Amino acid sequence: MEERMAIRSINVGRPVQVEHQGKPVLSGIFKTPVEGPLHLSTVNFAGDEQADLRFHGGPDKAVCVYPYERYAYWEREFGMTLGWGAFGENITTEGMLEEDIRIGDKFRLGEAVVQVSQPRQPCFKVGVKHGLPELPIRIQQTGYTGYYFRVLQEGKVRPEDSLQLIEKHPAGVTLAYANRVMHVDKDDADGMRRILAVDELSASWRETLTARLNRRTSGSS
């Protein structure tokens, strides 16, 4: 039986200027739902842009994903109502939680084919958007981070499409596991090696974990 997961919303937006600590900041986190089909390229959806290309966007982070199921948690925590794209995600999904999805998993998304590359690391701008400076670290602590897709095959995507699992990565490194090693058990050398053994891991995570592992190894020698 085909394993299909729902798309609740597809969201895009271009950078806008906001104020942070008394200074203007350009951010692409303000995204709104679309109703019609969009072309998904190897770097983004048509009509979507990132402001800081050093930390956002690029082939490894072409599509930002956030699970719809997490919305209820944050609404309870902060007593607010969240609209689609609340976390700056391009796709709000249902049935694709961090503890179930693996780095390297492949999905058909409309006419496109995508692959999980890394968990998301929330930046301060999600806190700016909601007026909650503590939100990025809270997201990180809970592990409710969302994640990124790279695009293996470009194509048209419609909001009514679903995500169809093509292949589960055999290494079994879930996003929840990767988040734990990155943010909680930071000295877990075996965990770092296990994550780094996944060829499909994004370049930025590979760089960070390799540097951390090297520091730990040289420090214990």
Side-chain angles (χ1 to χ4, degrees):
M1 180 182 293
E2 292 181 344
E3 191 172 343
R4 293 180 180 270
M5 281 66 78
I7 295 173
R8 297 299 298 263
S9 183
I10 296 178
N11 318 291
V12 299
R14 301 187 190 279
V16 298
Q17 186 171 289
V18 295
E19 185 175 301
H20 175 60
Q21 296 181 347
K23 298 180 180 179
V25 174
L26 202 61
S27 176
I29 200 167
F30 295 87
K31 302 189 188 300
T32 55
V34 301
E35 296 182 358
L38 290 177
H39 180 75
L40 177 58
S41 74
T42 56
V43 292
N44 59 15
F45 276 108
D48 192 59
E49 294 179 9
Q50 292 79 36
D52 185 351
L53 295 178
R54 180 184 176 192
F55 297 107
H56 304 285
D60 281 344
K61 303 176 184 176
V63 180
C64 183
V65 182
Y66 201 78
Y68 166 70
E69 293 90 336
R70 305 304 191 199
Y71 273 51
Y73 174 85
W74 297 116
E75 288 180 335
R76 289 195 305 270
E77 284 293 294
F78 294 108
M80 58 185 180
T81 301
L82 299 171
W84 299 124
F87 298 90
E89 76 270 19
N90 297 116
I91 300 180
T92 315
T93 59
E94 186 171 8
M96 297 180 64
L97 298 178
E98 293 89 351
E99 55 262 37
D100 302 320
I101 303 299
R102 311 171 182 196
I103 297 172
D105 283 356
K106 294 180 185 177
F107 297 88
R108 184 166 299 283
L109 173 59
E111 297 175 355
V113 176
V114 296
Q115 182 178 53
V116 179
S117 59
Q118 67 163 80
R120 180 190 189 178
Q121 288 185 269
C123 82
F124 72 93
K125 292 177 183 177
V126 70
V128 173
K129 176 177 181 177
H130 295 289
L132 297 167
E134 70 273 29
L135 184 55
I137 190 66
R138 291 286 298 279
I139 289 173
Q140 187 172 292
Q141 289 169 341
T142 59
Y144 299 166
T145 59
Y147 43 98
Y148 285 105
F149 288 148
R150 64 168 60 89
V151 178
L152 303 180
Q153 175 183 306
E154 297 187 1
K156 188 179 295 183
V157 183
R158 301 169 179 81
E160 61 267 24
D161 287 333
S162 60
L163 279 150
Q164 176 188 344
L165 179 65
I166 296 175
E167 179 184 346
K168 280 189 176 182
H169 196 277
V173 176
T174 66
L175 296 156
Y177 180 88
N179 273 329
R180 179 183 63 76
V181 173
M182 178 65 83
H183 302 301
V184 181
D185 298 331
K186 296 182 179 182
D187 292 326
D188 184 352
D190 289 339
M192 287 184 265
R193 292 188 187 98
R194 184 183 175 200
I195 298 169
L196 288 167
V198 179
D199 291 339
E200 294 81 1
L201 181 69
S202 71
S204 62
W205 267 58
R206 183 169 301 282
E207 180 181 356
T208 299
L209 289 176
T210 298
R212 184 186 295 177
L213 186 60
N214 288 340
R215 287 195 301 271
R216 186 184 185 282
T217 303
S218 62
S220 61
S221 59

